[in-house]
């Protein structure tokens, strides 16, 4: 038979679950504003840097949680191919090394 004590939540976990949503997060409006100010391009790392410039301290994981709860994602670019027009070495320059 399974021991019922092994899966029982601890007193702290039980108290947090019963308390419900706590006070509003003071960092959340700043994270949302920084994401909106940069047209949704910034991810958690750049938002952390932008907030630290404004004097707001928050961890990257905290910012990630706020972004996840609000459905925010960062934009990232696709690798672009470089096109080289023409053929390489088609300039009519004398070879000074060989001659």
């Amino acid at each position: 038979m399974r021991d019922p004590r092994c899966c029982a939540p601890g007193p702290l976990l039980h108290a947090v679950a019963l308390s419900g949503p706590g006070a509003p997060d003071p960092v959340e409006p700043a994270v949302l504003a920084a994401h909106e100010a940069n047209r949704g391009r910034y991810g958690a790392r750049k938002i952390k840097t932008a907030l630290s410039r404004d004097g707001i301290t928050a961890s990257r994981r905290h910012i990630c949680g706020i972004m996840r709860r609000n459905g925010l994602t960062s934009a990232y670019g696709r690798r672009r191919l470089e096109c080289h027009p023409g053929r390489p070495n088609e300039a009519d320059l004398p070879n000074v090394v060989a001659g």
Side-chain angles (χ1 to χ4, degrees):
M1 185 164 158
R2 201 171 85 178
D3 187 8
R5 292 174 293 170
C6 69
C7 297
L12 179 62
L13 180 64
H14 189 64
V16 169
L18 291 180
S19 66
D25 191 358
V27 179
E28 187 167 351
V31 170
L32 298 177
H35 191 266
E36 183 65 29
N38 294 291
R39 299 177 305 212
R41 301 283 190 253
Y42 276 15
R45 291 177 181 172
K46 285 189 177 181
I47 288 176
K48 177 178 172 54
T49 305
L51 293 181
S52 67
R53 280 189 214 118
D54 297 336
I56 300 171
T57 304
S59 70
R60 181 184 55 83
R61 291 180 181 174
H62 188 181
I63 293 169
C64 284
I66 292 170
M67 289 179 69
R68 194 176 311 116
R69 282 192 300 273
N70 290 290
L72 303 178
T73 58
S74 62
Y76 52 92
R78 189 183 311 172
R79 182 178 176 206
R80 294 182 179 94
L81 297 176
E82 292 183 18
C83 296
H84 298 286
R87 293 181 28 210
N89 299 330
E90 63 184 46
D92 294 328
L93 297 175
N95 189 352
V96 293
V97 176

